[in-house]
Amino acid sequence: MTRVYETESPEETFALGEMFGRAAKPGQVICLDGDLGVGKTVFTQGFAKGLGVKDPVVSPTFTIVHEYTDGRIPLYHFDVYRIEDVDEMEEIGYDDYFFGGGVCLIEWAEKIREILPGGVQVVAIEKNPEKGFDYRKITAEGFEKAEYEDSGN
């Protein structure tokens, strides 16, 4: 199922991420697609809050993955932008994350598409300057509607 949301501020993008985090289940692998600066980290911060994560959530650009284990289920936030070869994912033991008991959010997932498990979900975030600086179109694919009802966005 595909669902489209529109947000008009970082706070609304955060709130949408929080809604998704509240409904998250162990074993989910979610690809976050979008250009630099569209709000992937803001969405992830909201997602983490929805899981009950208390630690500050930052972009893992230089470490590939940040682990947040203080929520109701572990959150593994990947940024694979700097991956040159998918073998680098083997070095960090990606399969333990992808097939473990947590939820994975992966930025720039297209770089590792060949090793992603079947059934991944996608959250694509796009800007549209004609609709305003903070406007975002957020398309969620592969999620069950009953779990991700519109929260007024």
Side-chain angles (χ1 to χ4, degrees):
M1 161 167 245
T2 299
R3 176 85 178 165
V4 177
Y5 302 87
E6 295 179 302
T7 63
E8 308 261 341
S9 68
E11 294 80 15
E12 287 182 11
T13 300
F14 182 98
L16 184 64
E18 185 177 359
M19 179 185 76
F20 275 78
R22 283 193 306 270
K25 296 181 204 161
Q28 282 183 288
V29 177
I30 302 169
C31 302
L32 295 176
D33 291 344
D35 293 333
L36 287 170
V38 296
K40 295 183 299 287
T41 299
V42 170
F43 181 90
T44 300
Q45 290 167 336
F47 193 99
K49 183 177 181 194
L51 288 173
V53 171
K54 304 278 188 263
D55 292 333
V57 174
V58 296
S59 179
T61 300
F62 296 103
T63 58
I64 299 176
V65 64
H66 279 175
E67 299 180 25
Y68 302 95
T69 57
D70 62 335
R72 66 177 175 81
I73 56 177
L75 171 61
Y76 307 118
H77 181 201
F78 288 81
D79 184 331
V80 297
Y81 182 77
R82 287 180 167 49
I83 292 285
E84 296 291 328
D85 187 313
V86 292
D87 290 340
E88 293 177 55
M89 294 296 290
E90 287 282 346
E91 293 172 17
I92 65 165
Y94 77 89
D95 51 343
D96 291 336
Y97 295 105
F98 289 5
F99 302 104
V103 60
C104 297
L105 293 180
I106 307 170
E107 297 186 33
W108 305 103
E110 64 274 3
K111 295 189 76 140
I112 60 166
R113 192 80 55 199
E114 65 202 65
I115 62 169
L116 292 173
V120 297
Q121 297 159 311
V122 177
V123 173
I125 305 174
E126 302 171 73
K127 291 181 180 182
N128 183 342
E130 292 178 10
K131 292 191 174 190
F133 181 78
D134 290 325
Y135 171 87
R136 299 294 185 267
K137 176 182 171 188
I138 302 172
T139 306
E141 296 181 20
F143 295 89
E144 295 179 28
K145 182 178 185 203
E147 295 172 339
Y148 298 93
E149 290 299 323
D150 193 347
S151 65
N153 292 320

Tab-separated table of all heavy atoms in Angstrom, residues 35-39 125-137:
chain	number	residue	atom	x	y	z
A	35	ASP	N	16.874	13.514	-1.155
A	35	ASP	CA	18.107	14.270	-1.326
A	35	ASP	C	18.633	14.774	0.016
A	35	ASP	O	17.940	14.730	1.037
A	35	ASP	CB	17.862	15.470	-2.247
A	35	ASP	CG	17.543	15.046	-3.671
A	35	ASP	OD1	17.992	13.959	-4.094
A	35	ASP	OD2	16.837	15.804	-4.361
A	36	LEU	N	19.848	15.293	-0.023
A	36	LEU	CA	20.425	15.918	1.166
A	36	LEU	C	19.521	17.045	1.646
A	36	LEU	O	19.008	17.825	0.834
A	36	LEU	CB	21.812	16.493	0.850
A	36	LEU	CG	22.939	15.488	0.662
A	36	LEU	CD1	24.177	16.190	0.120
A	36	LEU	CD2	23.263	14.796	1.963
A	37	GLY	N	19.309	17.111	2.936
A	37	GLY	CA	18.585	18.225	3.524
A	37	GLY	C	17.079	18.180	3.417
A	37	GLY	O	16.418	19.182	3.698
A	38	VAL	N	16.494	17.029	3.052
A	38	VAL	CA	15.032	16.986	2.929
A	38	VAL	C	14.329	16.665	4.245
A	38	VAL	O	13.118	16.830	4.345
A	38	VAL	CB	14.533	15.993	1.849
A	38	VAL	CG1	14.976	16.411	0.479
A	38	VAL	CG2	14.893	14.575	2.177
A	39	GLY	N	15.074	16.163	5.230
A	39	GLY	CA	14.445	15.877	6.517
A	39	GLY	C	14.479	14.423	6.947
A	39	GLY	O	13.714	14.014	7.820
A	125	ILE	N	11.090	11.167	0.891
A	125	ILE	CA	10.813	12.551	1.281
A	125	ILE	C	11.292	13.471	0.166
A	125	ILE	O	12.439	13.383	-0.271
A	125	ILE	CB	11.516	12.903	2.614
A	125	ILE	CG1	11.122	11.903	3.701
A	125	ILE	CG2	11.173	14.336	3.034
A	125	ILE	CD1	11.866	12.083	5.016
A	126	GLU	N	10.383	14.349	-0.271
A	126	GLU	CA	10.701	15.274	-1.364
A	126	GLU	C	10.343	16.699	-0.968
A	126	GLU	O	9.338	16.927	-0.302
A	126	GLU	CB	9.890	14.932	-2.607
A	126	GLU	CG	10.071	13.542	-3.135
A	126	GLU	CD	9.063	13.245	-4.234
A	126	GLU	OE1	9.229	13.784	-5.355
A	126	GLU	OE2	8.106	12.504	-3.956
A	127	LYS	N	11.149	17.639	-1.455
A	127	LYS	CA	10.836	19.063	-1.324
A	127	LYS	C	10.044	19.504	-2.552
A	127	LYS	O	10.126	18.880	-3.602
A	127	LYS	CB	12.116	19.901	-1.301
A	127	LYS	CG	12.965	19.768	-0.091
A	127	LYS	CD	14.167	20.689	-0.242
A	127	LYS	CE	15.092	20.622	0.933
A	127	LYS	NZ	16.229	21.545	0.813
A	128	ASN	N	9.323	20.614	-2.388
A	128	ASN	CA	8.713	21.293	-3.530
A	128	ASN	C	8.758	22.782	-3.204
A	128	ASN	O	7.854	23.301	-2.547
A	128	ASN	CB	7.272	20.827	-3.762
A	128	ASN	CG	6.660	21.475	-4.988
A	128	ASN	OD1	7.146	22.490	-5.481
A	128	ASN	ND2	5.577	20.903	-5.465
A	129	PRO	N	9.812	23.475	-3.648
A	129	PRO	CA	9.984	24.890	-3.308
A	129	PRO	C	8.780	25.758	-3.667
A	129	PRO	O	8.539	26.777	-3.028
A	129	PRO	CB	11.221	25.306	-4.097
A	129	PRO	CG	11.945	24.045	-4.390
A	129	PRO	CD	10.900	22.972	-4.483
A	130	GLU	N	8.017	25.350	-4.677
A	130	GLU	CA	6.844	26.137	-5.061
A	130	GLU	C	5.774	26.131	-3.975
A	130	GLU	O	4.934	27.017	-3.928
A	130	GLU	CB	6.270	25.613	-6.379
A	130	GLU	CG	7.188	25.860	-7.553
A	130	GLU	CD	6.633	25.289	-8.842
A	130	GLU	OE1	5.460	24.874	-8.883
A	130	GLU	OE2	7.398	25.271	-9.830
A	131	LYS	N	5.814	25.129	-3.113
A	131	LYS	CA	4.827	25.031	-2.026
A	131	LYS	C	5.367	25.555	-0.705
A	131	LYS	O	4.695	25.471	0.315
A	131	LYS	CB	4.355	23.590	-1.867
A	131	LYS	CG	3.541	23.117	-3.053
A	131	LYS	CD	2.878	21.797	-2.757
A	131	LYS	CE	1.961	21.405	-3.898
A	131	LYS	NZ	1.131	20.260	-3.550
A	132	GLY	N	6.596	26.056	-0.701
A	132	GLY	CA	7.180	26.630	0.510
A	132	GLY	C	8.467	25.933	0.905
A	132	GLY	O	8.694	24.766	0.578
A	133	PHE	N	9.306	26.657	1.626
A	133	PHE	CA	10.620	26.167	2.021
A	133	PHE	C	10.541	24.895	2.860
A	133	PHE	O	11.344	23.983	2.710
A	133	PHE	CB	11.374	27.262	2.794
A	133	PHE	CG	12.744	26.848	3.225
A	133	PHE	CD1	13.801	26.834	2.323
A	133	PHE	CD2	12.980	26.459	4.541
A	133	PHE	CE1	15.069	26.432	2.723
A	133	PHE	CE2	14.250	26.067	4.943
A	133	PHE	CZ	15.294	26.046	4.031
A	134	ASP	N	9.577	24.825	3.759
A	134	ASP	CA	9.476	23.696	4.682
A	134	ASP	C	8.504	22.612	4.233
A	134	ASP	O	8.314	21.610	4.924
A	134	ASP	CB	9.080	24.185	6.079
A	134	ASP	CG	10.212	24.952	6.750
A	134	ASP	OD1	11.386	24.590	6.540
A	134	ASP	OD2	9.913	25.904	7.487
A	135	TYR	N	7.875	22.789	3.088
A	135	TYR	CA	6.930	21.790	2.586
A	135	TYR	C	7.671	20.498	2.244
A	135	TYR	O	8.743	20.518	1.644
A	135	TYR	CB	6.219	22.299	1.327
A	135	TYR	CG	5.406	21.224	0.652
A	135	TYR	CD1	4.093	20.975	1.042
A	135	TYR	CD2	5.963	20.435	-0.341
A	135	TYR	CE1	3.346	19.969	0.429
A	135	TYR	CE2	5.226	19.428	-0.950
A	135	TYR	CZ	3.931	19.193	-0.559
A	135	TYR	OH	3.212	18.190	-1.147
A	136	ARG	N	7.079	19.353	2.639
A	136	ARG	CA	7.607	18.045	2.267
A	136	ARG	C	6.467	17.134	1.826
A	136	ARG	O	5.402	17.096	2.454
A	136	ARG	CB	8.334	17.358	3.434
A	136	ARG	CG	9.541	18.123	3.972
A	136	ARG	CD	10.668	18.198	2.954
A	136	ARG	NE	11.850	18.828	3.495
A	136	ARG	CZ	12.136	20.124	3.405
A	136	ARG	NH1	11.302	20.954	2.821
A	136	ARG	NH2	13.251	20.597	3.906
A	137	LYS	N	6.702	16.408	0.752
A	137	LYS	CA	5.803	15.333	0.328
A	137	LYS	C	6.486	14.044	0.774
A	137	LYS	O	7.634	13.766	0.379
A	137	LYS	CB	5.622	15.347	-1.182
A	137	LYS	CG	4.786	14.192	-1.700
A	137	LYS	CD	4.705	14.247	-3.217
A	137	LYS	CE	4.058	12.995	-3.771
A	137	LYS	NZ	4.150	12.955	-5.233
